[in-house]
C-alpha cells in the first residue's frame, strides 16, 4: 500500500499539484488510537497504514463547485482526517441499527450487509459535500474491512470497493492511464485534471 500511495502522490505532485497540496501529513498516532478506543474494535491494518501516510484533507473548507481540489477519491469523496472521522462516527453512532447493533457491542449482521440508520461498527473515512459518507465495515464475516457508503435517507449499503487497498489501487491505475494517455475500455473515462485539480467523471 505504501508503494501505491507514493505512486499516487508522485502523479498528483506532477500533474495535479493543487490536489496534492490539500493532502495532510501523516495522522497523529494518538488520534488513531482514540478512534479505535471510541469504536471498540480493531482497525484494519491497511486503514492504519493509510492514515500513517496521510491524514485526509480539511473537509470543512469550502470544497464546492468552485474549489474541488480535495476530491481525491472517485465519486467525489474527500478523505477524512482521523479526528474528523471520529466526529462523524460520534454523530452517526447515536442512531444504531436496532436489527444489528446491541448494547453489548455485538452485531447481528455480517460485514457488507445493509444497515439502517447506521451501524456502530463502521468507521467513516471519506465524505461528499452532500453529506454522504464512505466507511470501512468492521463487523465480522467474509467481507470484514469492506468499504460501504452511507446516506441519512438510505443507511449503510455496499460500495464498488472491497477494501481501502482497492480504492488506492483504482486511483493509482486511473492516474497512470491518464498520464500515459492509454486507450480505455468502452464506458470507462479518464479523470480530468484542469488547473492542477483532479476530478472524476
Amino acid at each position: 500500500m505504501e508503494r501505491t500511495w507514493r505512486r499516487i502522490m508522485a502523479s498528483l505532485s506532477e500533474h495535479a499539484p493543487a490536489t496534492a497540496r490539500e493532502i495532510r501529513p501523516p495522522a497523529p498516532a494518538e488520534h488513531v488510537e482514540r478512534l479505535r478506543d471510541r469504536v471498540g474494535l480493531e482497525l484494519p491494518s491497511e486503514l492504519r497504514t493509510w492514515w500513517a501516510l496521510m491524514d485526509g484533507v480539511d473537509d470543512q473548507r469550502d470544497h464546492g463547485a468552485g474549489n474541488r481540489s480535495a476530491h481525491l477519491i472517485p465519486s467525489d469523496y474527500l478523505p477524512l482526517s482521523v479526528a474528523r472521522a471520529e466526529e462523524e462516527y460520534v454523530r452517526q453512532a447515536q442512531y444504531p441499527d436496532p436489527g444489528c447493533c446491541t448494547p453489548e457491542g455485538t452485531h447481528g449482521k455480517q460485514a457488507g450487509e445493509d444497515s439502517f440508520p447506521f451501524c456502530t461498527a463502521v468507521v467513516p473515512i471519506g465524505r461528499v459535500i452532500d453529506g454522504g459518507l464512505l466507511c470501512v465495515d468492521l463487523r465480522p464475516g467474509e467481507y470484514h474491512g469492506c468499504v460501504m457508503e452511507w446516506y441519512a435517507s438510505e443507511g449503510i449499503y455496499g460500495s464498488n470497493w472491497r477494501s481501502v487497498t482497492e480504492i488506492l489501487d483504482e486511483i493509482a491505475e486511473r492516474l497512470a492511464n491518464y498520464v500515459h494517455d492509454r486507450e480505455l475500455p468502452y464506458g470507462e473515462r479518464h479523470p480530468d485534471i484542469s488547473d492542477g485539480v483532479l476530478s472524476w467523471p
Side-chain angles (χ1 to χ4, degrees):
M1 172 179 280
E2 184 172 350
R3 182 178 301 172
T4 301
W5 180 248
R6 301 208 182 285
R7 283 175 54 208
I8 290 170
M9 288 305 298
S11 292
L12 293 177
S13 296
E14 182 176 355
H15 301 280
T19 297
R21 285 193 297 270
E22 293 283 334
I23 298 167
R24 296 153 56 110
E30 59 268 27
H31 289 190
V32 177
E33 294 311 311
R34 188 177 67 202
L35 175 58
R36 187 201 69 80
D37 292 345
R38 171 84 68 182
V39 177
L41 295 167
E42 192 55 54
L43 301 173
S45 59
E46 61 175 11
L47 181 55
R48 284 179 169 272
T49 298
W50 193 31
W51 278 335
L53 294 167
M54 63 98 229
D55 193 22
V57 301
D58 181 358
D59 73 299
Q60 295 181 307
R61 278 184 52 201
D62 177 13
H63 292 295
N67 181 16
R68 300 178 61 82
S69 55
H71 296 254
L72 173 68
I73 303 172
S75 299
D76 284 333
Y77 280 101
L78 299 94
L80 292 172
S81 70
V82 178
R84 284 283 298 120
E86 183 178 3
E87 288 177 11
E88 290 291 346
Y89 176 83
V90 169
R91 181 178 295 113
Q92 303 310 331
Q94 299 176 71
Y95 311 103
D97 179 354
C100 178
C101 310
T102 71
E104 297 74 33
T106 59
H107 297 274
K109 296 179 181 178
Q110 297 282 295
E113 292 188 51
D114 294 356
S115 201
F116 186 89
F118 191 71
C119 174
T120 56
V122 299
V123 176
I125 61 169
R127 78 169 184 91
V128 285
I129 59 174
D130 64 0
L133 296 173
L134 197 65
C135 305
V136 172
D137 194 336
L138 306 183
R139 291 174 292 182
E142 179 183 356
Y143 297 109
H144 173 78
C146 70
V147 178
M148 306 288 282
E149 295 186 76
W150 172 89
Y151 274 91
S153 60
E154 301 176 55
I156 297 285
Y157 59 95
S159 77
N160 293 324
W161 300 289
R162 282 285 303 270
S163 65
V164 171
T165 298
E166 279 195 9
I167 293 175
L168 299 191
D169 285 345
E170 179 180 336
I171 295 170
E173 180 180 3
R174 292 180 69 180
L175 284 172
N177 288 340
Y178 169 87
V179 168
H180 298 291
D181 196 25
R182 294 178 181 138
E183 185 174 343
L184 300 179
Y186 177 78
E188 292 188 18
R189 297 173 62 189
H190 286 298
D192 177 67
I193 297 178
S194 178
D195 298 324
V197 174
L198 171 71
S199 61
W200 301 97

